[in-house]
């Protein structure tokens, strides 16, 4: 799960964990440590983004946090993605990088549903 995925409930009205249940059935959720840090930083601000980040940080407690060697969250996903079946993101540039690297991506399709795109 990247930052944009964990902020989907507020920013895009997507019940992300319900949608993942619908798509995948049983799954394990993981989030790189850089995502947790990014959510914590964003939640300290003000406005809608801070609210979405605060909700995302709460949702991140449902994910196992994993360490990595990259300082930038998107680079961490490219580094870690081969170890996992999917990456959940609503970030267009990250989605393209992952698909180019051969990693399936779960993202918003339509108004508030998630879909899987294969490389």
């Amino acid at each position: 799960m990247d930052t944009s995925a964990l902020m989907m409930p507020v920013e895009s009205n997507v019940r992300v964990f319900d949608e993942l249940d619908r798509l995948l059935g049983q799954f394990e959720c993981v989030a790189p440590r850089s995502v947790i840090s990014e959510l914590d930083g964003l939640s300290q601000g003000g406005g809608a983004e801070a609210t979405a980040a605060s909700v995302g940080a709460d949702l991140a407690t449902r994910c196992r946090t994993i360490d990595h060697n990259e300082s930038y969250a998107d680079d961490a996903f490219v580094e870690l993605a081969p170890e996992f079946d999917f990456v959940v993101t609503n970030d267009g540039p990250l989605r393209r990088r992952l698909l180019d690297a051969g990693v399936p991506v779960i993202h918003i399709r339509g108004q508030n549903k998630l879909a899987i795109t294969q490389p």
Side-chain angles (χ1 to χ4, degrees):
M1 300 280 277
D2 84 335
T3 303
S4 69
L6 289 163
M7 293 171 64
M8 280 181 198
V10 174
E11 292 186 333
S12 303
N13 197 30
V14 173
R15 297 178 57 94
V16 67
F17 285 100
D18 290 347
E19 279 295 294
L20 290 172
D21 283 337
R22 180 184 64 79
L23 279 176
L24 305 174
Q26 196 165 359
F27 65 93
E28 177 189 20
C29 178
V30 298
R33 185 157 310 282
S34 57
V35 166
I36 306 305
S37 297
E38 188 173 12
L39 288 167
D40 288 341
L42 290 171
S43 68
Q44 301 304 310
E49 183 179 62
T51 300
S54 180
V55 169
D58 288 343
L59 289 174
T61 62
R62 297 176 63 177
C63 301
R64 179 171 54 94
T65 303
I66 54 175
D67 290 316
H68 51 83
N69 296 321
E70 299 292 338
S71 58
Y72 181 57
D74 286 5
D75 293 338
F77 278 101
V78 175
E79 172 194 329
L80 296 168
E83 299 176 34
F84 300 98
D85 296 327
F86 303 97
V87 172
V88 184
T89 183
N90 201 38
D91 178 319
L94 175 58
R95 181 172 49 206
R96 283 187 291 281
R97 282 182 70 189
L98 291 165
L99 291 170
D100 288 346
V103 178
V105 176
I106 297 175
H107 57 93
I108 293 177
R109 172 127 333 137
Q111 295 260 327
N112 58 0
K113 299 290 183 190
L114 296 180
I116 300 170
T117 298
Q118 298 290 339

